[in-house]
Amino acid sequence: MPDLALTKKDFTSDQEVKWCPGCGDYSILSTMQSFLPELGVPRENIVFVSGIGCSSRFPYYLETFGMHSIHGRAPTIATGLAISRPDLTVFVITGDGDSLSIGGNHLIHSLRRNIELKILLFNNRIYGLTKGQYSPTSEQGKVTKSTPLGSLDTPFNPISLAIGAEATFVARTVDSDRKHFTEVLRAATAHKGSALIEIFQNCPIFNDGAFDIVKDGDTKGAALLQMVHGQAIKSETHGLVHDGASLKVVELGSVSESDLVIHDAHNADPSYAFALSRLSSSELSHVPVGIFRDVQRDGYGSMVNNQVADIIAAQGAGDLNSLLTSGDTWDVQ
Amino acid sequence: MTKPVVSLDQVTIRFAGDSGDGMQLTGDRFTMDTASLGNDLSTLPNYPAEIRAPQGTIPGVSSFQLHFADHHVQTPGDAPDVLVAMNPAALKANIKEVRRGATIIVDKDEFTTRNLSKVGYETNPLEDGSLDSYKVHAVGLTSLTVAALSELSLTRKEAERSKNMFALGLLTWMYHRPTESTENFLKAKFGKKPEILAANLLAYKTGWNYGETTEDFAVSYEIAKAHMPAGKYRNISGNTAMAYGLIAASQRSGLKLFLGSYPITPASDILHELSKHKKFGVITFQAEDEIAAVGSALGASYGGALGITTTSGPGVALKSEMIGLGVMLELPLIIIDVQRGGPSTGLPTKTEQSDLLQAMYGRNGESPVAVLAPSHASDCFDIALEAARIATTYRVPVFIMSDGYIANGSEPWKIPSVDSLPDLHVEFAKTQENFMPYLRDPKTLARPWAIPGTKGIEHRIGGLEKADKTGAISYEPANHDLMVRARAAKVAGIEVPDLIVDDPTGDADVLILGWGSTFGPIASAIEALRESGEKVAQAHLRYINPFPKNLGAILEKYPKVLVPEMNLGQLAMLLRNQFLKDVIPCNQVRGLPFTTQELIDSTMAVLHA
Ligand SMILES: Cc1ncc(C[n+]2csc(CCOP(=O)(O)OP(=O)(O)O)c2C)c(N)n1
Ligand code: SF4
Ligand SMILES: [Mg+2]
């Protein structure tokens, strides 16, 4: 593999990056650019497809193939591409409005089908590009330009939604934690079907500090419940124990270490991952990060291509003349 | 006793019954047997949007009309010469269109007081003299069928279900159709259910024998073979021809066929048909909605496949934004709109041509696309190849405007040899230095088709306006003006064949200019008008955007141009706009094709105005 001595620079396009200073998107981009050389896929075989939003400008800044499409529809385009070109590695870049509001339908259907897509959901809990309206992940009561008296909608929990949509890989990370994000990317790209990664992303202009609890040195240690497969799920101060059919956060000292839930990302039963997803509320007092669920199911694209290959193997490739002359025919002299 | 045989040159038969009576199947079988006998033909299936409207009611009536002849047939026929009515509702719904003197065959068992009152007959039309000007055969289709099947271990209900085969057998005898192909068809269809197969075969045979032996049917009819160019033929519907044309385009271009579709009447059969042909490397993707359907097709196209989406008017409305992206990305994309009655859900199973302006203009911004329209069922095959040529050569979305009439209607088709089909080979952009994704080909104005996987030409595209040549995002006023005009010029410059005018004397008093599925009805009206001594010309548009280069000159030549359309004047609006020609619109939106007679009347009105 001669190509693979690529560096971060090789994945950096010549386009000037135009996010606001301090935007969380910068660190996400930088982590991705650093990670791509390690992926071992030639640049020409990587495609980033995005929707519309600040986050969706992402593809312009990567020296790979890329498409900045239309609002909410990136999964559809990526689906056609991934199915018809199984040789490619296809990423979808989307925002919380893009994927959960206008594009909600496509998100759930690509997850249930298990299309070979790596979907990065930049969740800043706000509409950035349209200058600060509340989004489907904004906490109830959010005061924005379009909700001066506070928003009334109950927000989506993207992780719960994805698990409910039969997703086979679901993870959460934080924009500024390069190391954690890189680990999640590594696992997501190794996963065969679709992978959804929710990234907490700070928008300093319209929703600054939304994730401070999980970023500030003082609070994050307690708030972030680290999920590592095979290890106890815990933060610096709290741990997780079984509570009947569900899960409960307890102070570390209050139970013995052996009572803590040992994380099993490969648990076939989605209710386990779902229970984990319910631990984080809008206030973010306890936020599981890492991989909620990573189970194997055949990828849709590979099944589609196998169906074609199998029928050709069984019956031979189609012959146009035989097709046209099939059925009842007659000759006119 | 041998019964006399009368020779006819043409016949129009309409099979009508309840949605559950199997009239479409009956019509289809009669069509197949007629086609293989060598008559020319044209069909018109007409069925309700409801799968099962209440039994025995007018809304539940389903019909299938077939016109066949010893000469070239242009339309499914205006007025039936024979009506087969399986119940009072079918009689009531269809009688007004049946010509006086026609033959009417009814299932008299169904003419009960209850069934009659269901559709508002106060007296029995079989007895009250109201059908005196028709040749009525009141046959106990149900009772005869049940009696014939009494040996089989079927319930009465099950036995009754074969009465359509009895009717088919009777008509097959009346018109000297061969029986083998229907017998083979039944064997293939019911091979796994021997009882049902036996019932159908027996009912079919009994119907045939009934004609042969009873005195009710004194004569049978013969229609000689039509003179058709030598070759191998099959009968084909528009939707099947479209599917075959798309497969042919994939084979001739070497591009993988990718269909993204969401089911909708009357387009779904293209999805069904293509789904059967995976061994051609065809990928069919039933998406979650129309947006995803066209999105996946565009994504596949971006990856180097022949991206196609099939739908009807409501689906086009949902696809608009993505088609706009296709215009901006300048990628090949084929959108097939099998039009139906609108607006909104409209008349799902009826035909109309009212999406033309939607296809032309139904997007934000200056968003030009190519627009083609097949003229008749088998033309869908050729138009699919043409759409692929234009989409891949010019890298542009191409609309194909089919409609319910040609999609479901069928006609004999001379099967082309594969070698005679156009070569649609395309070149993708190759590895190169300083690749420019929006550098245009000087002749076609197309940009390169630069697919992922090609080393060294990694680049980013999107819906934002792009700088000329480099494709980088650009908000420059002058650049936007340049790019809008470039996209328009590219579509305007698409090479399409000149329009051919059929005007034997060269000095016709009126030109009838149509598009799409009105071809047959117009041609049939022209024939009749010429027979009565009128000088009329016909030209038919298969290319609507861009129009053929000689269209302006043709419009100038004829003082009177009549434009029949199944809408309120959409092509007329385009013609007036582009050529400042005051064409004469001729419109109807009844959900059915024009009859020959109404086109004759409209033309006469123009001629003698
Ligand atoms: C069809 C359509 N409707 C609306 C818009 C306007 N619009 C652009 S981005 C956006 C919301 C973006 O929010 P999000 O997806 O959260 O992305 P962010 O900017 O926060 O990264 C909206 C409403 C659009 N571009 N297209
Ligand atoms: S508005 Fe917010 S999300 Fe958008 S670029 Fe600026 S900081 Fe980032
Ligand atoms: Mg957002």
Side-chain angles (χ1 to χ4, degrees):
Chain A
M1 292 202 198
D3 245 331
L4 305 187
L6 294 172
T7 63
K8 178 176 183 184
K9 205 162 147 274
D10 294 311
F11 283 96
T12 306
S13 81
D14 60 1
Q15 292 288 305
E16 185 194 338
V17 184
K18 285 187 178 154
W19 289 306
C20 307
C23 176
D25 293 353
Y26 281 97
S27 40
I28 301 174
L29 175 64
S30 170
T31 304
M32 178 60 87
Q33 287 165 335
S34 305
F35 167 73
L36 286 175
E38 155 187 348
L39 186 58
V41 176
R43 290 185 296 189
E44 67 271 20
N45 287 349
I46 301 174
V47 186
F48 283 85
V49 183
S50 64
I52 296 288
C54 297
S55 36
S56 287
R57 297 294 178 98
F58 200 82
Y60 287 116
Y61 309 132
L62 288 158
E63 192 54 32
T64 63
F65 278 85
M67 186 196 292
H68 179 213
S69 74
I70 52 177
H71 200 21
R73 317 303 173 192
T76 73
I77 295 169
T79 290
L81 182 64
I83 296 174
S84 61
R85 289 290 305 275
D87 57 316
L88 303 175
T89 298
V90 184
F91 290 90
V92 169
I93 304 294
T94 182
D96 42 321
D98 195 63
S99 62
L100 298 171
S101 199
I102 193 167
N105 200 27
H106 311 308
L107 180 76
I108 57 176
H109 287 280
S110 37
L111 292 175
R112 84 169 162 90
R113 290 192 182 103
N114 206 26
I115 313 264
E116 291 83 342
L117 302 175
K118 312 305 161 201
I119 305 171
L120 274 56
L121 195 173
F122 294 34
N123 183 6
N124 55 10
R125 296 181 161 193
I126 199 83
Y127 284 5
L129 191 70
T130 46
K131 300 197 180 358
Q133 300 84 3
Y134 78 114
S135 89
T137 54
S138 298
E139 60 280 15
Q140 195 176 34
K142 181 111 190 149
V143 174
T144 71
K145 279 181 201 147
S146 60
T147 50
L149 302 181
S151 64
L152 301 171
D153 325 20
T154 299
F156 265 139
N157 175 328
I159 303 289
S160 303
L161 181 76
I163 293 165
E166 308 290 351
T168 54
F169 183 105
V170 186
R172 176 188 286 143
T173 189
V174 181
D175 56 5
S176 48
D177 191 343
R178 287 163 172 265
K179 184 165 161 288
H180 189 263
F181 181 25
T182 304
E183 279 164 20
V184 169
L185 274 177
R186 207 169 275 145
T189 48
H191 180 76
K192 292 274 178 279
S194 35
L196 178 92
I197 307 176
E198 180 192 15
I199 308 166
F200 283 165
Q201 175 239 322
N202 191 40
C203 166
I205 305 297
F206 297 112
N207 200 17
D208 196 24
F211 303 105
D212 278 358
I213 296 177
V214 297
K215 292 181 168 212
D216 281 359
D218 300 347
T219 49
K220 76 172 184 191
L224 290 177
L225 290 162
Q226 301 288 346
M227 297 182 296
V228 178
H229 180 72
Q231 295 182 21
I233 300 176
K234 56 183 183 178
S235 69
E236 285 169 12
T237 55
H238 289 73
L240 207 56
V241 293
H242 290 285
D243 178 28
S246 138
L247 302 169
K248 187 168 74 176
V249 180
V250 293
E251 274 180 43
L252 277 182
S254 69
V255 293
S256 85
E257 186 79 18
S258 62
D259 288 336
L260 296 180
V261 173
I262 303 297
H263 186 43
D264 179 11
H266 308 315
N267 191 334
D269 178 3
S271 49
Y272 166 70
F274 191 80
L276 286 172
S277 78
R278 302 314 290 174
L279 295 171
S280 51
S281 58
S282 285
E283 312 82 69
L284 303 177
S285 20
H286 299 288
V287 180
V289 289
I291 298 160
F292 290 81
R293 180 168 172 79
D294 181 0
V295 297
Q296 285 299 319
R297 200 169 82 221
D298 286 344
Y300 185 85
S302 77
M303 290 193 289
V304 166
N305 287 289
N306 285 343
Q307 248 185 6
V308 170
D310 288 351
I311 193 102
I312 291 175
Q315 302 181 0
D319 173 65
L320 186 56
N321 187 53
S322 322
L323 173 70
L324 300 185
T325 55
S326 61
D328 283 343
T329 63
W330 68 95
D331 292 301
V332 172
Q333 307 301 330
Chain B
M1 179 194 79
T2 51
K3 293 185 177 182
V5 176
V6 174
S7 284
L8 298 175
D9 64 347
Q10 60 175 323
V11 180
T12 297
I13 301 180
R14 186 181 294 181
F15 296 93
D18 210 58
S19 305
D21 284 342
M23 290 297 97
Q24 301 303 324
L25 176 82
T26 309
D28 256 351
R29 287 319 313 161
F30 196 86
T31 300
M32 286 305 187
D33 298 336
T34 295
S36 58
L37 199 70
N39 294 133
D40 197 7
L41 65 88
S42 172
T43 70
L44 178 65
N46 190 8
Y47 48 89
E50 291 74 24
I51 301 301
R52 287 285 159 90
Q55 217 185 349
T57 61
I58 302 264
V61 174
S62 166
S63 72
F64 186 103
Q65 185 162 315
L66 164 73
H67 177 196
F68 58 105
D70 66 358
H71 53 265
H72 187 39
V73 166
Q74 305 278 16
T75 75
D78 284 10
D81 305 305
V82 181
L83 173 69
V84 179
M86 303 298 282
N87 63 12
L91 179 69
K92 183 143 197 187
N94 291 287
I95 189 71
K96 2 179 223 322
E97 283 142 43
V98 180
R99 66 165 179 77
R100 302 276 145 160
T103 297
I104 297 179
I105 301 171
V106 300
D107 181 0
K108 70 174 176 200
D109 298 329
E110 287 286 321
F111 282 67
T112 59
T113 320
R114 188 160 168 269
N115 288 353
L116 290 166
S117 69
K118 233 189 227 181
V119 294
Y121 275 126
E122 277 163 21
T123 53
N124 188 342
L126 303 181
E127 292 159 3
D128 64 9
S130 61
L131 298 178
D132 281 354
S133 51
Y134 305 90
K135 279 176 250 149
V136 179
H137 298 271
V139 183
L141 293 175
T142 305
S143 49
L144 288 166
T145 304
V146 170
L149 306 188
S150 61
E151 300 288 283
L152 304 172
S153 55
L154 295 173
T155 64
R156 190 185 158 89
K157 268 234 134 30
E158 283 170 332
E160 279 181 13
R161 250 185 238 144
S162 295
K163 68 185 172 192
N164 65 327
M165 284 298 124
F166 185 105
L168 179 62
L170 176 58
L171 271 287
T172 301
W173 171 82
M174 265 178 86
Y175 292 97
H176 289 234
R177 309 289 99 177
T179 56
E180 299 80 45
S181 113
T182 289
E183 283 161 0
N184 290 338
F185 169 85
L186 291 173
K187 283 174 196 154
K189 186 171 163 89
F190 298 117
K192 293 203 184 87
K193 298 176 191 152
E195 278 289 291
I196 308 287
L197 171 62
N200 277 286
L201 285 175
L202 192 54
Y204 183 53
K205 190 94 195 106
T206 311
W208 196 95
N209 289 341
Y210 185 80
E212 178 77 1
T213 53
T214 61
E215 287 178 9
D216 192 12
F217 292 88
V219 290
S220 64
Y221 305 92
E222 238 177 21
I223 292 89
K225 282 177 197 256
H227 182 77
M228 297 201 235
K232 192 180 258 320
Y233 282 77
R234 64 180 290 165
N235 197 53
I236 199 154
S237 71
N239 274 346
T240 306
M242 190 75 81
Y244 285 8
L246 296 171
I247 294 172
S250 157
Q251 294 279 304
R252 300 296 289 175
S253 61
L255 300 174
K256 187 182 285 184
L257 190 166
F258 183 99
L259 174 74
S261 188
Y262 188 78
I264 185 168
T265 303
S268 303
D269 279 341
I270 306 177
L271 165 65
H272 302 160
E273 186 64 38
L274 283 173
S275 304
K276 290 188 219 157
H277 302 293
K278 300 253 148 98
K279 63 178 175 178
F280 287 90
V282 165
I283 296 179
T284 55
F285 175 63
Q286 182 178 317
E288 59 270 25
D289 61 22
E290 276 85 354
I291 302 172
V294 65
S296 65
L298 188 62
S301 198
Y302 172 64
L306 186 61
I308 299 158
T309 191
T310 48
T311 191
S312 188
V316 173
L318 287 171
K319 291 172 198 286
S320 301
E321 191 190 10
M322 191 68 74
I323 297 168
L325 180 64
V327 170
M328 201 62 157
L329 297 182
E330 303 193 39
L331 284 169
L333 178 67
I334 299 176
I335 307 115
I336 297 170
D337 178 0
V338 185
Q339 300 165 93
R340 63 191 219 180
S344 188
T345 310
L347 301 173
T349 59
K350 310 293 175 197
T351 197
E352 208 162 279
Q353 295 180 298
S354 46
D355 296 346
L356 181 59
L357 294 180
Q358 179 178 225
M360 285 290 295
Y361 301 121
R363 288 166 299 284
N364 60 304
E366 296 289 347
S367 186
V369 295
V371 180
L372 314 182
S375 306
H376 48 95
S378 63
D379 191 31
C380 292
F381 181 84
D382 299 307
I383 228 67
L385 286 158
E386 267 299 82
R389 170 186 72 87
I390 292 172
T392 57
T393 308
Y394 297 90
R395 291 160 203 156
V396 70
V398 180
F399 265 95
I400 299 180
M401 307 304 287
S402 177
D403 65 38
Y405 167 42
I406 47 180
N408 290 320
S410 68
E411 62 186 8
W413 177 46
K414 181 166 176 273
I415 302 165
S417 84
V418 169
D419 297 335
S420 70
L421 302 178
D423 177 5
L424 297 174
H425 176 82
V426 293
E427 293 280 342
F428 296 122
K430 299 199 170 61
T431 296
Q432 57 192 275
E433 302 261 303
N434 303 323
F435 174 65
M436 289 209 261
Y438 276 76
L439 188 64
R440 294 180 189 282
D441 177 283
K443 191 163 156 277
T444 61
L445 300 182
R447 76 176 192 92
W449 193 355
I451 65 171
T454 317
K455 193 175 161 58
I457 62 166
E458 297 84 359
H459 65 282
R460 276 63 55 193
I461 54 176
L464 285 169
E465 184 59 284
K466 279 158 289 291
D468 183 30
K469 302 186 183 65
T470 66
I473 300 173
S474 167
Y475 303 112
E476 264 297 302
N479 176 75
H480 179 54
D481 191 84
L482 178 92
M483 293 298 274
V484 167
R485 290 173 199 278
R487 288 184 288 264
K490 180 176 80 167
V491 172
I494 292 170
E495 275 190 42
V496 305
D498 270 352
L499 183 63
I500 295 167
V501 182
D502 168 29
D503 182 1
T505 55
D507 62 348
D509 301 314
V510 63
L511 168 71
I512 309 186
L513 179 64
W515 69 279
S517 77
T518 54
F519 175 78
I522 296 175
S524 151
I526 294 263
E527 238 169 62
L529 286 159
R530 284 184 188 154
E531 270 167 31
S532 58
E534 302 292 348
K535 284 188 181 173
V536 285
Q538 182 183 12
H540 208 77
L541 289 165
R542 296 170 79 237
Y543 300 84
I544 297 171
N545 203 33
F547 282 130
K549 302 275 176 294
N550 63 338
L551 178 58
I554 292 169
L555 291 174
E556 233 167 83
K557 176 174 168 190
Y558 292 94
K560 291 178 180 171
V561 179
L562 184 70
V563 181
E565 297 178 80
M566 296 186 285
N567 59 39
L568 294 188
Q570 302 195 8
L571 175 66
M573 184 189 274
L574 296 177
L575 294 169
R576 287 172 169 175
N577 170 57
Q578 199 159 326
F579 301 102
L580 285 177
K581 171 83 180 182
D582 191 17
V583 299
I584 307 161
C586 167
N587 310 103
Q588 63 87 10
V589 281
R590 290 189 310 267
L592 289 166
F594 279 98
T595 63
T596 306
Q597 193 57 49
E598 72 188 299
L599 288 173
I600 293 172
D601 295 346
S602 304
T603 313
M604 291 300 270
V606 168
L607 279 168
H608 304 292

